[in-house]
Amino acid sequence: MSDPDLSLVLEPVRLPFSERLFSAAHREALPDGTEALTDLDRAMLLENSQELPPEYRIWQDVQANAVSPFYCTDAYATISTDIEEAVAPFWEQWEPIRMTLVKRRLRKTQTEFENFVNTLLYDAVEQLKQVSAARHCLSPDGEPVLEALFRVYHAGFYPCGWRRDNNIVCFDPSVLEGHWIGCLLDYPT
C-alpha cells in the first residue's frame, strides 16, 4: 500500500489526536439527514436498547453488519498492526488524563462532559479503528455506515443510532456541563 493510501486509511484513527473529537464544533460536516440529539438519556437508549421505536434500527446490529464483510479477512489482519501502531501513542498520552478523570469521579468533582468522555472514548476509538480497516479492506471509499459514523465523529458529535430511513443519529456533547473544545490530549487537569 502506498503512503497516500495509508494516510487515507489511518485518517480515522488519527482523529483522537485532533481538536475535533467530541467538540460539536462542525455541525456543517454532519452527513445530510443526520438526527442530532441533545438528550443524553435518549441517545444512550438508542445506542444500547434492543427495543426501539419503530423508526430506528438496533445500532449494534447496524455496526456489526457493516463490519462483518471484512472483519475476518486476510486484508484486515494485514492492516490491524498499522492501525494499532497509529493509535497506541494516543492511549499512552491519554493514560495520565484518564487517571485524573478517575480521581475526579471518586471525589465527585467530575463534570458531565468528563464522565461522557471517560465512559465513551474507548468505544469511539474502537469504532474509528473499524472505519480505518474498512477503508483498507473494501476500498478507499470505505463502508457507507462506517463512513457516516466517521463523519459524525469528524464533525465533533457522537454517533448513537440509525434510523430506518438510513440516516445516522448522533448526540451533541456540547450540551453537557463542562464541555470543552480542544484536543483531548491537552485536557485541562
Side-chain angles (χ1 to χ4, degrees):
M1 179 173 279
S2 69
D3 286 340
D5 292 338
L6 189 58
S7 178
L8 178 67
V9 165
L10 296 179
E11 176 190 17
V13 293
R14 291 185 176 134
L15 185 63
F17 295 92
S18 79
E19 75 288 343
R20 295 181 81 103
L21 193 66
F22 302 140
S23 69
H26 303 278
R27 184 175 291 274
E28 74 285 353
L30 288 171
D32 291 339
T34 299
E35 178 181 352
L37 304 175
T38 57
D39 179 345
L40 183 58
D41 289 337
R42 178 141 175 92
M44 294 300 99
L45 171 84
L46 292 180
E47 179 177 33
N48 298 304
S49 179
Q50 296 290 308
E51 297 179 21
L52 297 171
E55 66 269 21
Y56 297 97
R57 293 177 55 201
I58 297 171
W59 182 224
Q60 301 301 325
D61 291 351
V62 172
Q63 291 178 69
N65 289 338
V67 172
S68 65
F70 64 86
Y71 185 73
C72 292
T73 65
D74 290 340
Y76 182 84
T78 301
I79 197 62
S80 292
T81 301
D82 290 329
I83 291 171
E84 292 299 332
E85 287 175 1
V87 81
F90 174 81
W91 289 127
E92 290 170 16
Q93 294 172 39
W94 177 253
E95 185 57 21
I97 299 165
R98 187 189 71 78
M99 290 307 299
T100 298
L101 295 180
V102 167
K103 289 175 189 174
R104 288 182 185 172
R105 185 184 76 231
L106 293 172
R107 291 181 190 133
K108 300 185 190 268
T109 60
Q110 191 178 65
T111 68
E112 285 179 319
F113 182 67
E114 290 169 339
N115 184 53
F116 176 83
V117 170
N118 207 28
T119 302
L120 298 173
L121 183 61
Y122 179 80
D123 290 341
V125 173
E126 288 300 308
Q127 291 173 352
L128 291 166
K129 287 165 50 176
Q130 295 302 327
V131 177
S132 286
R135 287 182 176 185
H136 173 76
C137 296
L138 301 177
S139 77
D141 294 334
E143 196 289 329
V145 168
L146 297 176
E147 287 299 320
L149 177 143
F150 173 66
R151 288 183 59 200
V152 166
Y153 278 124
H154 194 256
F157 294 75
Y158 182 73
C160 61
W162 196 262
R163 295 182 61 88
R164 289 201 180 272
D165 63 4
N166 285 326
N167 287 304
I168 197 162
V169 181
C170 68
F171 174 70
D172 178 351
S174 71
V175 302
L176 298 173
E177 175 259 329
H179 181 256
W180 181 77
I181 296 177
C183 180
L184 294 178
L185 295 177
D186 295 330
Y187 202 83
T189 53

